[in-house]
Amino acid sequence: MTDHRDLLRATPSLAAVLAIAGVGMGLVVLTSFGLMPLVGAPEASLAGWRLSGTDLLLGVRETLVIATASTVVACAIGLAVGSLVLAAGPGVRLVRAVAVVVLALPHLVGAASTGLLLRDAGLAERVAGAAGLPASAGWPRLVGGPWPVATVLEFAWKESAFVALVVVAALGATHVARTETAAALGATPWQRWRRVLVPASLPAVGASGLIVFVYTVGNYEVAWLLGRAYPEPLPVLAFRLFTSVDLTDRPAAAAAAAVTAALALGTAVVVAVLLPSLARALGHGVGAGGSDLAARAGAAR
Amino acid sequence: MTNPRARRTALVAAVCAGGLVLSACAGPVEGPTTQASGDRPWSEVLAEADGQTVDLWMFGGDDAGNAYVDDVLAPAAADLGVELRRVPVADTGEAIRRMLAENAAGRTDGAVDLVWVNGDNFATGRQADAWLCGWAEDLPNRQYVAADDPLVTSDFGVPVDGCESPWHKAQFTFVHDSARMDDPPTSLLGLLAWAEANPGRFTYPAPPDFTGSVFLREVLYATAGGVEEVPAQFDQAAYDDLSPALFDRLREVAPSLWREGTTYPRDEQELNRLFADGEVDVTMTYGPATLEQLVAEGTLPETTEILTFEEGTVGNASFLGLPASAQDRAGAMVVANLALSPEQQAAKADPSVWGQFTVLDLDLLSPAQRALFEDLPASTVLPPYEELSENAQPELGSGWVGPLDEGWRRQVLAETS
């Protein structure tokens, strides 16, 4: 019964999402098969997919590298920052305020700032040079280099604030009771963090990590500003082809957009299904007796 | 998963879909290009234009160009009863996409009344039959433009057919810092050899960036053995014959480029930044008028100079195009005509205003009108147009652009990255 009511309540928003995203995706797929050309008559064809075949594969690889690395780093930093906030030590308000400010900044501003900071002859290299470090001789290629370092750092910097706030929101109400109980049971601060906070926050980290991953897969501007010209992640590939002066490139652009969406949706569905058991499994893995302590601490509230 | 952030996941798909939904409403427009009623008296056009608001979509990253339109052209248009609004875009393609979507939907009340355009963007509009044609030759001030000037009758090999009105001329220009380069090369092949002798000091923007794309065509002329060896219109046999030498040479020079050619700057602005930071010694531009301002504001050093090549460089003209979907057509024609007037062309050619080269033939002007140009102060950075355009090479047809860009991507970028 509850399931039915939940479904009923969700129907309006589901319908809106399906209407907008579904119609859009339908049109993108039709375009990728040459059925909705901007000029000329519609003609079913795989040309769009063939045209960008190699680029698509390289694009998937590049996108996965960026998204996976960004998600892992963002989750790790986010959990650490979230732990700091939950520890309620001095300066907590400041950490929380900084996280909110970081979250409010558009990615475009973040990407431009990261570029100014990390590129060759950027602020970091100049500061390093002024400090007497031998930076100017071989500043690492962080922007536009062989590895998407700057792209990943920008995503990780901004999304870690998001992960931290989700962790704080998910645990905030129950955290004090849990840690107090764990402390009463004789857990050291390290044990309280490893065996109580980490397992309890895993569902929140997993869910926000999934959002970070899916968002990163579809983001265009950060990789465009900070990445190299080749190979391109899928959104950059799609945008370049979509804005090509040759209108016959549109099917290839649509193919790249369709693969981007499939990658994001596929990951979302798989992770959403697996997340509960994944969190349980990871929770068990956090030290022997960790989950037991967490369960007892949880039961005590 | 109900967090709104999750909805951003299909960002690119949504961007694509948005354009497609608009364009899907009526399907592609077929049939002959729309003709303007160019035969009616100009006074009627002026009367109709009175009170109209013309939206001019143009690249917004050129401060001098923005200032010219806002402070010089718009007030003059206001005197004729036309309000001129500048709509800045990061890339002219944005205006083209908007116009194509409106045209495909069969609208005649479109938001784009005029576009600063040329080359492949113009060709894209022609491909989709989205320009209003046959009006530009009837503008009264057209009398000052030489009828046989190839730069204004054809735009990258695509016949203009009165679908756009010339605005100014441009010359592709290589720029170096004379303080850093003792013995500058005098030809394009010489420049590539210089790059090999000075590893890491040269690069070019990655096509399909506009500037990088022109650079490719310049190198094609050079490796083919001259302009006359390359047919102006794209031809697959000629491409198959000529492109291997081009891509071989660029692959060969790649290890000597900035960052060993494993990556390239994205656009002209990025190359200018590398040049200004002293990371490379040469930059290049199709808009040399911007150099004056870049030097004046200190972005580029005062020792910035033009590299002059014996074989010349390519030249083109840029235009004001009128979309078939434009709402204020009469007003747009009045603005295009005003922009062609000797007074406006002279004002725009002033290096302290914008410094753009005129499309007018000075021999067709009255002595008083000619004096407007003769009295202009000389640029501190640029030589006069006559000198800059010496041995000017014609632009290749727009059909070459796509295959060359894609060929470079596959055969140079993919193999040297």
Side-chain angles (χ1 to χ4, degrees):
Chain A
M1 280 304 286
T2 315
D3 284 353
H4 278 287
R5 272 206 300 274
D6 283 351
L7 197 65
L8 214 63
R9 269 200 296 269
T11 303
S13 38
L14 264 179
V17 170
L18 282 178
I20 296 167
V23 169
M25 278 319 301
L27 292 174
V28 167
V29 171
L30 285 179
T31 305
S32 72
F33 289 110
L35 295 170
M36 288 200 53
L38 200 57
V39 287
E43 192 182 337
S45 146
L46 285 172
W49 291 84
R50 272 201 299 270
L51 231 158
S52 55
T54 328
D55 287 347
L56 274 180
L57 289 178
L58 283 171
V60 169
R61 193 190 70 185
E62 192 77 0
T63 307
L64 285 177
V65 166
I66 292 173
T68 309
S70 306
T71 307
V72 169
V73 181
C75 285
I77 300 176
L79 182 59
V81 174
S83 305
L84 268 182
V85 174
L86 287 170
V92 133
R93 282 188 183 166
L94 183 68
V95 176
R96 200 193 292 254
V98 167
V100 170
V101 168
V102 167
L103 214 53
L105 279 177
H107 266 287
L108 195 63
V109 175
S113 311
T114 309
L116 289 171
L117 180 70
L118 296 180
R119 72 186 185 200
D120 296 5
L123 188 63
E125 183 182 351
R126 287 172 198 219
V127 169
L133 296 172
S136 54
W139 184 250
R141 291 169 183 185
L142 305 174
V143 176
W147 292 98
V149 179
T151 311
V152 168
L153 286 180
E154 197 281 340
F155 280 132
W157 163 71
K158 204 163 136 49
E159 298 301 324
S160 60
F162 167 65
V163 174
L165 290 181
V166 172
V167 167
V168 171
L171 297 193
T174 59
H175 182 69
V176 176
R178 279 177 210 248
T179 43
E180 278 174 0
T181 311
L185 290 168
T188 61
W190 167 245
Q191 284 171 324
R192 292 203 293 271
W193 183 79
R194 216 181 84 181
R195 297 184 181 178
V196 177
L197 193 146
V198 172
S201 64
L202 276 178
V205 172
S208 52
L210 173 63
I211 293 173
V212 171
F213 183 90
V214 166
Y215 175 75
T216 315
V217 164
N219 180 282
Y220 155 78
E221 67 267 30
V222 177
W224 188 84
L225 270 170
L226 300 175
R228 57 185 162 160
Y230 183 94
E232 303 156 303
L234 290 169
V236 178
L237 174 68
F239 192 75
R240 179 175 61 79
L241 290 169
F242 184 72
T243 53
S244 162
V245 287
D246 187 353
L247 300 180
T248 57
D249 278 346
R250 297 226 168 177
V259 173
T260 313
L263 199 65
L265 279 175
T267 315
V269 169
V270 169
V271 175
V273 168
L274 292 180
L275 196 59
S277 46
L278 204 69
R280 264 199 308 277
L282 284 171
H284 279 294
V286 184
S291 60
D292 183 42
L293 186 56
R296 284 156 67 191
R301 66 192 161 91
Chain B
M1 286 304 294
T2 52
N3 191 304
R5 294 165 58 91
R7 292 182 200 158
R8 293 192 227 155
T9 52
L11 176 69
V12 170
V15 167
C16 294
L20 289 166
V21 168
L22 276 177
S23 65
C25 296
V29 174
E30 300 285 347
T33 307
T34 319
Q35 293 293 318
S37 49
D39 296 334
R40 59 180 173 158
W42 185 247
S43 55
E44 267 183 37
V45 179
L46 276 174
E48 191 188 325
D50 195 14
Q52 288 189 347
T53 299
V54 172
D55 290 301
L56 166 60
W57 290 50
M58 59 183 274
F59 173 62
D62 183 339
D63 293 340
N66 296 341
Y68 161 72
V69 170
D70 292 344
D71 303 339
V72 183
L73 188 60
D79 290 343
L80 298 170
V82 178
E83 186 188 346
L84 178 61
R85 269 197 313 224
R86 182 172 56 80
V87 181
V89 287
D91 164 18
T92 307
E94 286 176 36
I96 305 298
R97 284 188 288 283
R98 174 70 177 259
M99 163 190 135
L100 291 181
E102 288 177 348
N103 191 54
R107 289 178 57 175
T108 52
D109 59 346
V112 189
D113 296 312
L114 269 182
V115 189
W116 177 26
V117 68
N118 78 343
D120 29 22
N121 280 312
F122 175 65
T124 304
R126 299 267 355 224
Q127 193 184 3
D129 232 352
W131 296 113
L132 190 71
C133 291
W135 57 276
E137 285 118 348
D138 299 319
L139 299 178
N141 285 332
R142 186 62 184 238
Q143 60 178 305
Y144 304 120
V145 179
D148 58 350
D149 185 344
L151 282 186
V152 301
T153 54
S154 161
D155 186 352
F156 279 55
V158 178
V160 168
D161 290 340
C163 306
E164 53 180 4
S165 176
W167 204 17
H168 43 253
K169 289 182 177 175
Q171 196 67 36
F172 197 61
T173 309
F174 290 89
V175 180
H176 74 295
D177 180 356
S178 58
R180 299 203 300 252
M181 211 179 205
D182 293 334
D183 187 19
T186 55
S187 70
L188 189 58
L189 291 178
L191 176 63
L192 296 181
W194 178 90
E196 285 169 331
N198 297 274
R201 305 302 301 169
F202 177 74
T203 189
Y204 53 93
D209 167 68
F210 182 72
T211 307
S213 195
V214 185
F215 177 74
L216 268 196
R217 301 196 288 277
E218 289 275 1
V219 183
L220 176 69
Y221 277 147
T223 54
V227 176
E228 56 287 349
E229 303 297 324
V230 189
Q233 294 308 317
F234 179 73
D235 173 69
Q236 190 63 46
Y239 177 84
D240 294 342
D241 188 30
L242 298 172
S243 65
L246 162 71
F247 297 133
D248 284 350
R249 186 70 190 96
L250 290 177
R251 265 200 308 271
E252 214 172 88
V253 78
S256 308
L257 298 181
W258 172 75
R259 288 190 172 185
E260 291 93 44
T262 54
T263 191
Y264 293 79
R266 287 221 173 262
D267 48 31
E268 184 186 319
Q269 285 71 32
E270 180 73 7
L271 180 63
N272 278 345
R273 188 190 65 71
L274 292 177
F275 179 69
D277 283 345
E279 290 197 56
V280 296
D281 293 332
V282 178
T283 182
M284 56 190 86
T285 178
Y286 224 139
T290 54
L291 293 172
E292 183 87 13
Q293 196 192 2
L294 289 173
V295 171
E297 70 192 15
T299 305
L300 298 185
E302 281 179 13
T303 40
T304 297
E305 277 183 22
I306 305 302
L307 272 179
T308 315
F309 290 165
E310 288 151 8
E311 73 268 31
T313 55
V314 294
N316 73 17
S318 58
F319 298 80
L320 291 172
L322 207 173
S325 56
Q327 183 173 21
D328 301 298
R329 293 181 178 183
M333 289 183 203
V334 167
V335 171
N337 183 58
L338 174 69
L340 259 189
S341 66
E343 295 74 20
Q344 285 293 325
Q345 287 276 314
K348 191 173 55 166
D350 187 334
S352 65
V353 177
W354 196 3
Q356 294 284 11
F357 305 124
T358 181
V359 286
L360 305 185
D361 183 343
L362 298 194
D363 293 338
L364 298 175
L365 303 183
S366 69
Q369 289 168 334
R370 202 161 34 236
L372 293 173
F373 291 90
E374 287 162 355
D375 294 344
L376 287 177
S379 164
T380 52
V381 184
L382 286 182
Y385 178 67
E386 295 70 35
E387 194 181 314
L388 196 65
S389 63
E390 206 172 349
N391 300 327
Q393 302 165 343
E395 263 294 1
L396 282 172
S398 59
W400 278 96
V401 178
L404 283 176
D405 289 355
E406 194 52 27
W408 178 82
R409 190 169 180 75
R410 303 245 166 258
Q411 299 189 45
V412 181
L413 185 59
E415 293 187 17
T416 54
S417 291

